[in-house]
């Protein structure tokens, strides 16, 4: 039996997932799950990298206890955040989290020196506040000059496990430093930041072998012997790889988690002036693709409401309470910057409703209903925009990730978009991670076969659109709430 393990770490949680191909179907088993989140120290936000490494090791030890002695291993995480290494390969400092406020106002300051249209033409990446370009601009310049290497978070985790330094391409594209034409770090942007190309490890494509888990870790913690495979280390890139195949129907994907990523997979970037004006991004995908997508605030909104409410209710219970509340009573423009990192999400939502003359949601269910209604309408607006930019008529919306479990949100989305919604698989990120490992190992021929196997391995619920009373008036009301602001995912 051949074993493959996906390390999938998001902004709020992480897990190690075991994948096996049995009789032509993918089977998954969760080995270990752990919480994640940034901590605040002296007014700054940081990730605990040592904690993440410890949790990976705990998960691998669980694999060994299950009788797994050999496996492949791939890692995906969120994007844009980076680690500085000194000449001895040691981490120089704590790792800033993308929600840290040091980048407040930086995008506007950089725009005075680097014309945004020029940066977009080079990179195809949207101009938004916590891209690595702006984080590096805000970083202490002496520290940056002293850094021997700059690795993104999943690259660093691979390095600590196996010793090889790299910059994986799908994640590196989110830095806003890669040139679409040269397919390397852009010399002018590096010069602007006072950085050297040699401070970044070679770009590595998904599917490359990176060596083995260090013998020292294997012996010290009683771990399986793991062959490390470079996967699409940006979790969104892995999630898109895990979207099941569609036959004879045009589709868009919606990766629904802390962030909602709505887009299509292209074989070329779309970085013209219209795409820039609409604030779409061209993140690199695996196997020569590009993820042309819109970033929407996502389930971060309900995660924060639940946290501030003392986690009295599960997400499923909040959805049940929301289903009992009046539809489209109160709406918020999800992508307004005010919801990116407010001190109190509940108060921010209530204040937004008050300012716009709408009923103010009071209960947890009313707050959840406001969020789900607003997200569904956001998907409707941006789906129409996506069709206009690509020239394609989208027939099916495929929702993957945790949001696929929310039947209320899935049905609302089908209703307001007027399209069939296919919900699942929930584990698309882990599946995309595992697919790259299995292709490298020769268990699958290519990503097309991988997606076909995924579609055959999991039940995918379908939501057909139901009539929405006075939908035209609702959409007009929705558009009147929009300030034209946009946000970025990680």
């Amino acid at each position: 039996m051949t074993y493959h393990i996906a390390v999938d770490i998001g902004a709020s949680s992480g897990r190690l997932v075991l994948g096996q191909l049995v009789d032509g179907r993918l089977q998954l088993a969760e080995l270990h799950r752990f919480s994640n989140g940034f901590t605040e120290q002296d007014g700054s936000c940081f990730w605990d990298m040592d904690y993440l490494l410890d949790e990976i090791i705990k998960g691998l030890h669980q694999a060994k206890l299950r009788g797994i002695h050999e496996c492949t291993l791939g890692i995906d995480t969120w994007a844009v955040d980076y680690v500085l290494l000194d000449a001895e390969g040691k981490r120089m400092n704590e790792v800033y989290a993308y929600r840290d406020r040091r980048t407040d106002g930086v995008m506007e300051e950089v725009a005075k020196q680097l014309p945004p249209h020029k940066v977009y033409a080079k990179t195809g990446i949207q101009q938004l506040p916590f891209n690595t370009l702006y984080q590096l601009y805000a970083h202490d310049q002496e520290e940056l000059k002293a850094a021997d290497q700059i690795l993104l978070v999943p690259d660093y985790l691979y390095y600590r496990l196996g010793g090889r330094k790299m910059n994986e391409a799908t994640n590196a594209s989110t830095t806003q430093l890669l040139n679409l034409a040269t397919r390397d770090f852009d010399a002018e942007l590096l010069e602007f930041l006072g950085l050297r190309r040699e401070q970044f490890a070679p770009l590595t494509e998904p599917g490359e072998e990176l060596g083995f888990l260090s013998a020292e870790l294997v012996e010290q913690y009683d771990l399986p012997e793991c062959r490390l495979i470079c996967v699409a280390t940006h979790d969104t890139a892995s999630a898109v790889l895990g979207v099941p195949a569609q036959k004879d129907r045009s589709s868009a994907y919606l990766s629904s988690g802390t962030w909602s990523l709505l887009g299509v997979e292209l074989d070329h970037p779309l970085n013209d002036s219209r795409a820039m004006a609409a604030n779409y991004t061209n993140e690199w995908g695996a196997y020569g693709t590009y993820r042309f997508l819109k970033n929407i605030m996502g389930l971060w909104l309900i995660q924060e409401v639940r946290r501030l409410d003392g986690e009295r209710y599960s997400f499923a219970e909040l959805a049940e309470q929301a289903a009992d509340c009046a539809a489209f009573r109160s709406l918020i423009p999800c992508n307004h910057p005010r919801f990116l990192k407010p001190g109190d999400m509940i108060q921010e939502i209530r204040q937004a409703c008050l300012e716009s003359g709408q009923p103010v949601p009071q209960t947890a269910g009313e707050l959840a209903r406001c969020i789900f209604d607003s997200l569904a309408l956001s998907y409707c607006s941006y789906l129409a925009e996506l069709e206009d930019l690509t020239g394609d008529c989208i027939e099916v919306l495929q929702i993957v990730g945790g949001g696929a479990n929310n039947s209320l949100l899935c049905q609302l989305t089908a209703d307001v978009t007027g399209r069939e919604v296919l919900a699942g698989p929930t584990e698309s990120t882990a599946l995309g991670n595992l697919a790259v490992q299995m292709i490298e190992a020769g268990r699958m021929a290519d990503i097309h076969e991988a997606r076909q196997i995924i579609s055959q391995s999991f039940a995918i619920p379908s939501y057909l659109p139901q009539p929405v009373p006075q939908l035209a008036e609702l959409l007009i009301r929705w558009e009147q709430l929009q300030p034209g602001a946009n946000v970025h995912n990680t």
Side-chain angles (χ1 to χ4, degrees):
M1 182 65 69
T2 305
Y3 299 101
H4 310 276
I5 296 177
V7 178
D8 173 28
I9 307 176
S12 59
S13 66
R15 68 267 179 79
L16 278 76
V17 178
L18 174 66
Q20 296 172 265
L21 192 58
V22 180
D23 297 329
R25 294 181 181 270
L26 263 171
Q27 295 182 357
L28 302 181
E30 187 175 282
L31 296 170
H32 180 55
R33 178 177 287 269
F34 53 94
S35 62
N36 190 28
F38 58 81
T39 58
E40 295 193 33
Q41 303 173 27
D42 301 322
S44 295
C45 302
F46 301 104
W47 299 108
D48 188 339
M49 302 307 297
D50 291 332
Y51 163 78
L52 295 180
L53 282 163
D54 288 344
E55 294 299 325
I56 293 173
I57 288 170
K58 288 179 184 177
L60 291 176
H61 182 64
Q62 288 299 315
K64 185 66 176 291
L65 292 177
R66 290 193 181 203
I68 299 172
H69 297 279
E70 295 181 354
C71 63
T72 64
L73 181 74
I75 303 172
D76 66 75
T77 78
W78 67 96
V80 304
D81 292 337
Y82 57 90
V83 183
L84 303 183
L85 301 182
D86 63 20
E88 296 181 352
K90 304 294 185 183
R91 192 175 78 238
M92 293 173 57
N93 48 23
E94 297 299 322
V95 176
Y96 281 101
Y98 60 87
R99 293 192 192 272
D100 186 82
R101 291 189 175 275
R102 68 195 174 124
T103 56
D104 289 355
V106 168
M107 184 175 67
E108 294 77 13
E109 184 178 342
V110 169
K112 296 174 183 176
Q113 305 170 64
L114 281 177
H117 71 273
K118 185 176 181 180
V119 177
Y120 190 78
K122 284 174 174 286
T123 68
I125 301 297
Q126 53 197 331
Q127 307 277 345
L128 291 161
F130 42 77
N131 288 348
T132 318
L133 169 64
Y134 305 118
Q135 291 200 50
L136 291 169
Y137 184 88
H139 201 106
D140 180 273
Q141 294 302 298
E142 293 304 314
E143 266 192 358
L144 281 183
K145 290 179 182 177
D148 182 70
Q149 292 278 277
I150 302 172
L151 304 180
L152 295 184
V153 167
D155 305 326
Y156 174 72
L157 295 174
Y158 271 117
Y159 165 66
R160 287 292 302 273
L161 293 176
R164 176 171 165 179
K165 298 170 186 172
M166 66 157 186
N167 280 117
E168 188 274 322
T170 70
N171 211 18
S173 72
T174 70
T175 64
Q176 206 175 9
L177 295 173
L178 296 192
N179 187 299
L180 288 167
T182 66
R183 293 193 63 83
D184 199 1
F185 287 91
D186 184 82
E188 182 182 4
L189 295 177
L190 292 185
E191 183 180 3
F192 171 76
L193 293 170
L195 298 173
R196 308 177 305 279
R197 176 61 184 87
E198 55 267 26
Q199 288 179 284
F200 295 87
L203 286 178
T204 304
E205 294 287 342
E208 183 170 333
E209 182 182 314
L210 302 175
F212 286 83
L213 183 66
S214 79
E216 181 181 353
L217 290 175
V218 170
E219 182 177 353
Q220 182 177 356
Y221 297 103
D222 189 24
L223 307 180
E225 293 185 2
C226 300
R227 194 164 61 89
L228 303 180
I229 306 299
C230 177
V231 298
T233 65
H234 185 196
D235 50 11
T236 306
S238 276
V240 171
L241 290 174
V243 174
Q246 277 295 310
K247 287 185 177 180
D248 305 322
R249 294 198 295 176
S250 61
S251 65
Y253 59 79
L254 176 66
S255 179
S256 178
T258 301
W259 297 90
S260 291
L261 300 318
L262 174 66
V264 292
E265 189 175 69
L266 301 176
D267 60 7
H268 61 279
L270 189 55
N271 60 326
D272 57 21
S273 59
R274 292 177 68 238
M276 178 183 172
N279 219 25
Y280 276 70
T281 198
N282 293 270
E283 296 173 353
W284 297 15
Y287 307 116
T289 61
Y290 294 87
R291 301 189 311 283
F292 185 67
L293 59 85
K294 186 79 170 186
N295 298 274
I296 307 166
M297 196 71 75
L299 297 179
W300 156 254
L301 298 161
I302 194 66
Q303 290 167 358
E304 279 295 278
V305 166
R306 179 173 179 264
R307 180 182 68 83
L308 292 166
D309 194 45
E311 300 187 349
R312 290 186 299 158
Y313 306 109
S314 68
F315 290 116
E317 288 170 334
L318 286 170
E320 289 175 3
Q321 292 178 34
D324 292 332
C325 296
F328 308 111
R329 176 173 177 265
S330 305
L331 303 170
I332 56 171
C334 303
N335 264 17
H336 194 291
R338 69 190 298 171
F339 302 115
L340 180 61
K341 41 189 173 184
D344 187 330
M345 183 67 79
I346 292 175
Q347 182 57 35
E348 202 68 44
I349 290 172
R350 288 173 174 164
Q351 184 64 29
C353 292
L354 182 65
E355 291 171 3
S356 55
Q358 302 178 93
V360 176
Q362 297 298 328
T363 67
E366 289 174 347
L367 286 161
R369 183 73 199 215
C370 171
I371 289 169
F372 298 147
D373 286 346
S374 301
L375 284 174
L377 286 163
S378 294
Y379 304 155
C380 178
S381 297
Y382 294 135
L383 196 58
E385 186 177 67
L386 182 63
E387 287 184 319
D388 182 55
L389 290 169
T390 61
D392 293 332
C393 179
I394 294 167
E395 301 171 75
V396 180
L397 181 61
Q398 297 186 265
I399 299 181
V400 296
N405 289 327
N406 188 327
S407 59
L408 173 62
L409 181 56
C410 291
Q411 187 62 60
L412 284 168
T413 301
D415 295 347
V416 298
T417 63
R419 293 170 177 83
E420 181 183 6
V421 166
L422 297 177
T426 302
E427 305 294 341
S428 61
T429 304
L431 288 167
N433 181 320
L434 292 165
V436 173
Q437 297 183 52
M438 291 182 179
I439 292 168
E440 191 279 340
R443 305 298 309 284
M444 299 174 178
D446 53 29
I447 190 57
H448 304 293
E449 183 183 8
R451 284 173 167 157
Q452 190 60 42
I453 289 172
I454 290 170
S455 68
Q456 296 169 355
S457 300
F458 302 92
I460 309 295
S462 169
Y463 296 84
L464 297 175
Q466 303 296 320
V468 177
Q470 299 179 311
L471 178 59
E473 291 84 348
L474 173 63
L475 293 177
I476 291 172
R477 175 181 155 215
W478 170 250
E479 290 304 319
Q480 290 172 343
L481 289 173
Q482 305 311 307
N486 298 278
V487 295
H488 180 47
N489 85 291
T490 60

